[in-house]
Amino acid sequence: MTGRERILALLRREPTDRVPISTYELSVFGPWGWPKDEPSYQPLMAEITARTDAFALWGAYTPPSPGDVPTESETRQEGEFTVTRTTLHTPTGPLSTTSKFTPNVKTTWTVEHLCKDEADAERYLSIPFHPMPVDAAEFPALDAEVGDRGIVLCDTGDAIGYVAPLFEFGEFTVMAMTRPALIRALCDQAHERIMHTLRGMLAAGCGPLYRIWGPEYCTPPYLPPDAFQEFVVPYVTEMIALIHDYGCWARIHSHGHTRRVLDMMVATGADAIDPVEPPPDGDIPLGEVKGRYGDRLILFGNMELKYLETETPAEIDARVKVMMNEAKAGGGYVLMPTAGPLNIPLAPRTADNYRAFIEAGHKYGQY
């Protein structure tokens, strides 16, 4: 089977020749394809392209700031860091945020959040929404580039995925517990924009699988399950219903402790979840998730990135064997790390362990 045939059969719950193997964020395709241009990553990327099943992340993103107000940015250098400060001029006053970036680590740190307090949140709520056509022009070319090697994994946040990062995380959790009506209002505002973008992507033929990120902000121990029910379930349920209306599938992304919210994830109508982190980073073993939900959910993941960065190839092989024993039977499982490396250059140990991970997937994943 080709990668695309294998993935589509998986989504339809049809038999496959082996368990699909994904390296998740470590990709040569689309916006996440930066590793193909980094010399230390290139040998490994060639093997990933040849021997795994591509889920190429792409989305017509809904920004945390809707872009409907005058915005200005200034950038400066602080040693190795590029620092950017952005100000939104809302109808009720300015909001500012500051981020830092270094070229040796492929991520951005927010060091000043847009909303520092309740007054800032009220200013954010004053931003009007002027719907614009959704730009999905990149999708056909990316889908053609991926070709038989896999599919495009359409990416979108849910309401809480955009609301929580407006605040410093500790401040967000306090707000969620003490000002739930304010958080709901922010979620309602974000959800309107998200649904507009999602409809545009679906109407443009983007699919067949959507990843919904954000629910992890409302998982224990950060917030109690009641918060997940309030700030995640109604919004994600509506998103998934729309995705299903277009004949596509939906996958909920949530790191961490998910045992107490898994029933709620199932209740949203989700077809799949990731990354199913093992204890102690997660709080429920892969085999238990498979036993309880394997007939309703496709499971992606369970290989912690930290193991790929610190262990030996033999240890990775042994871990993959256990994962296959726990989740392979009956289909509905994708072998996948919980994240991708961000450091430049790529450490030789990490590269060796990725090769062991892929080899073990082929060795133990045959049906």
Side-chain angles (χ1 to χ4, degrees):
M1 302 179 81
T2 67
R4 182 169 295 223
E5 290 170 342
R6 189 174 296 112
I7 292 168
L8 291 176
L10 167 94
L11 294 172
R12 296 174 184 134
R13 304 305 296 249
E14 297 171 353
T16 60
D17 56 341
R18 64 163 170 80
V19 170
I21 303 167
S22 168
T23 50
Y24 205 4
E25 296 163 343
L26 199 56
S27 172
V28 300
F29 299 111
W32 292 80
W34 61 266
K36 69 178 181 295
D37 299 319
E38 294 294 338
S40 63
Y41 280 78
Q42 286 173 349
L44 176 61
M45 299 315 298
E47 295 184 42
I48 286 173
T49 302
R51 304 197 70 207
T52 70
D53 306 289
F55 292 83
L57 278 167
W58 172 85
Y61 293 108
T62 302
S65 52
D68 293 315
V69 294
T71 304
E72 59 188 19
S73 295
E74 57 181 11
T75 299
R76 65 183 187 274
Q77 288 298 129
E78 291 185 359
E80 65 176 330
F81 288 98
T82 299
V83 181
T84 301
R85 192 166 196 266
T86 301
T87 300
L88 307 181
H89 295 282
T90 82
T92 55
L95 296 171
S96 295
T97 180
T98 303
S99 62
K100 298 176 73 173
F101 171 80
T102 176
N104 292 326
V105 182
K106 287 290 185 176
T107 193
T108 300
W109 291 270
T110 301
V111 295
E112 177 198 6
H113 291 263
L114 206 59
C115 295
K116 288 79 171 171
D117 52 29
E118 188 172 349
D120 282 345
E122 294 288 354
R123 291 187 186 96
Y124 193 85
L125 284 169
S126 76
I127 298 172
F129 179 39
H130 304 297
M132 298 292 289
V134 175
D135 184 4
E138 295 177 345
F139 178 85
L142 178 58
D143 189 50
E145 181 186 356
V146 175
D148 287 339
R149 287 171 289 192
I151 64 168
V152 177
L153 175 58
C154 298
D155 207 28
T156 176
D158 71 342
I160 209 67
Y162 287 111
V163 170
L166 295 174
F167 305 88
E168 182 274 326
F169 187 63
E171 181 67 21
F172 161 70
T173 60
V174 172
M175 283 281 190
M177 296 297 292
T178 63
R179 300 289 189 272
L182 179 61
I183 298 300
R184 281 197 303 273
L186 288 165
C187 285
D188 289 345
Q189 181 197 55
H191 187 63
E192 180 184 17
R193 291 157 168 79
I194 290 164
M195 291 298 285
H196 170 74
T197 304
L198 183 58
R199 287 189 192 96
M201 291 170 66
L202 288 160
C206 303
L209 179 62
Y210 281 75
R211 183 186 80 144
I212 301 173
W213 51 265
E216 64 194 17
Y217 287 115
C218 286
T219 55
Y222 311 123
L223 289 169
D226 287 351
F228 195 95
Q229 181 64 49
E230 182 172 9
F231 302 131
V232 174
V233 172
Y235 302 104
V236 171
T237 299
E238 188 172 343
M239 293 173 70
I240 291 176
L242 181 62
I243 290 167
H244 286 169
D245 284 346
Y246 281 83
C248 295
W249 292 270
R251 171 177 130 192
I252 291 179
H253 170 79
S254 184
H255 285 273
H257 291 194
T258 57
R259 176 185 290 276
R260 297 169 67 193
V261 299
L262 271 172
D263 285 342
M264 299 180 207
M265 290 186 185
V266 172
T268 66
D271 303 290
I273 59 171
D274 82 275
V276 199
E277 289 193 285
D281 299 273
D283 65 346
I284 182 168
L286 177 62
E288 184 177 343
V289 181
K290 178 75 173 186
R292 290 172 57 184
Y293 304 100
D295 61 336
R296 300 185 64 178
L297 293 174
I298 297 169
L299 309 180
F300 286 72
N302 203 237
M303 174 61 77
E304 291 286 7
L305 174 63
K306 66 183 180 182
Y307 300 147
L308 292 166
E309 292 178 328
T310 62
E311 293 191 338
T312 66
E315 289 170 318
I316 297 302
D317 181 277
R319 286 189 182 277
V320 172
K321 184 177 182 179
V322 171
M323 291 170 193
M324 292 298 186
N325 288 338
E326 290 183 336
K328 169 185 168 181
Y333 177 57
V334 177
L335 180 67
M336 187 183 82
T338 56
L342 300 172
N343 54 295
I344 299 171
L346 178 66
R349 177 189 292 266
T350 304
D352 289 343
N353 282 339
Y354 264 93
R355 293 185 178 96
F357 169 80
I358 295 166
E359 180 61 30
H362 282 272
K363 179 166 58 174
Y364 301 120
Q366 300 293 322
Y367 284 110

